[in-house]
Amino acid sequence: MQKASKKNKQAVASCKELTILPPAKKKEESREDFVTLLPPEVSFKIFSELDIQSLCKAAMTCKSWNRAIENSDYLWKHHCLTVRAVCQREIDCDRGNGYSWKVTLLRNYWKSKVKHEWLSGKYSNIHSRCGLPEKSMYPMDADTWGEILEAELER
C-alpha cells in the first residue's frame, strides 16, 4: 500500500512539473487572454452567460474582449429579446429601422425597466411626485403612457 501511495505522489509531482512553465513563458502567457486563446465560439459561449451589466463591464476589460463583444450581435440579441417582452413595439420599430441588436438594446433597456415597474403596479399607490423613486421616470411616448394608464385602470 505504501508503494502505491509513493507512486501516486511521484505521478502527481511529475504532472506538476509538466505544467510549470519557465518564467519567461509564464510572463508571456499571462498577457494573453481566453478570447485570443480559444476559438471564437467558445468565447461567445462564455460571454453569452453574462447579464447585461456584466457584458458591458467585460467589454471595458481589454481591447480583445471589447472587439469580441462589440462586434457580436449574437451576444446582444438574447438580452434584446428579453427586453422585448416589455417593449415589443419599441424593439420591433428599432429593428425595422435597421438598428443593430446592441443599439436597439441600449435604446430600450432603461425604458423597459421603468415601463415594467409601472405596468406591474409598483407605483399604483403613490399619492404625490415625492413618493416616486428617483429612477421611476424615463422619456416615453404617448402610446407607452397609454399602455401604463390602461394597466392602472384595470387594477
Side-chain angles (χ1 to χ4, degrees):
M1 192 150 166
Q2 271 187 331
K3 284 184 181 182
S5 176
K6 190 174 182 178
K7 282 184 183 181
N8 285 342
K9 286 181 183 177
Q10 287 174 342
V12 169
S14 63
C15 286
K16 283 182 183 177
E17 289 169 10
L18 290 175
T19 59
I20 295 175
L21 299 172
K25 186 72 173 169
K26 273 186 189 177
K27 194 173 188 177
E28 184 180 309
E29 291 220 2
S30 68
R31 285 188 233 153
E32 307 235 7
D33 60 81
F34 74 89
V35 172
T36 57
L37 296 174
L38 298 173
E41 302 81 27
V42 176
S43 297
F44 291 137
K45 178 63 180 158
I46 293 168
F47 286 135
S48 71
E49 298 296 321
L50 300 176
D51 60 34
I52 296 169
Q53 287 87 1
S54 298
L55 191 60
C56 291
K57 287 177 184 175
M60 294 186 291
T61 301
C62 66
K63 288 179 183 179
S64 66
W65 288 27
N66 181 274
R67 265 181 262 123
I69 293 168
E70 297 294 322
N71 296 328
S72 174
D73 248 9
Y74 165 80
L75 292 173
W76 300 101
K77 182 179 180 179
H78 165 72
H79 295 297
C80 199
L81 293 176
T82 302
V83 167
R84 188 177 181 269
V86 177
C87 293
Q88 180 176 351
R89 184 177 36 79
E90 296 90 337
I91 300 291
D92 292 347
C93 181
D94 282 355
R95 293 294 297 154
N97 287 331
Y99 289 107
S100 68
W101 286 109
K102 179 187 175 204
V103 171
T104 300
L105 178 65
L106 295 175
R107 287 173 48 91
N108 293 286
Y109 179 74
W110 287 111
K111 177 190 263 187
S112 74
K113 294 288 186 197
V114 171
K115 185 176 176 182
H116 175 72
E117 288 177 345
W118 279 93
L119 290 172
S120 67
K122 183 174 182 177
Y123 307 119
S124 290
N125 297 317
I126 303 292
H127 299 291
S128 73
R129 182 182 169 280
C130 297
L132 289 171
E134 196 174 310
K135 292 190 175 186
S136 63
M137 300 301 287
Y138 190 86
M140 291 189 247
D141 57 23
D143 291 334
T144 302
W145 284 113
E147 288 178 53
I148 291 168
L149 182 57
E150 283 180 26
E152 281 298 313
L153 292 173
E154 289 176 11
R155 281 193 244 291

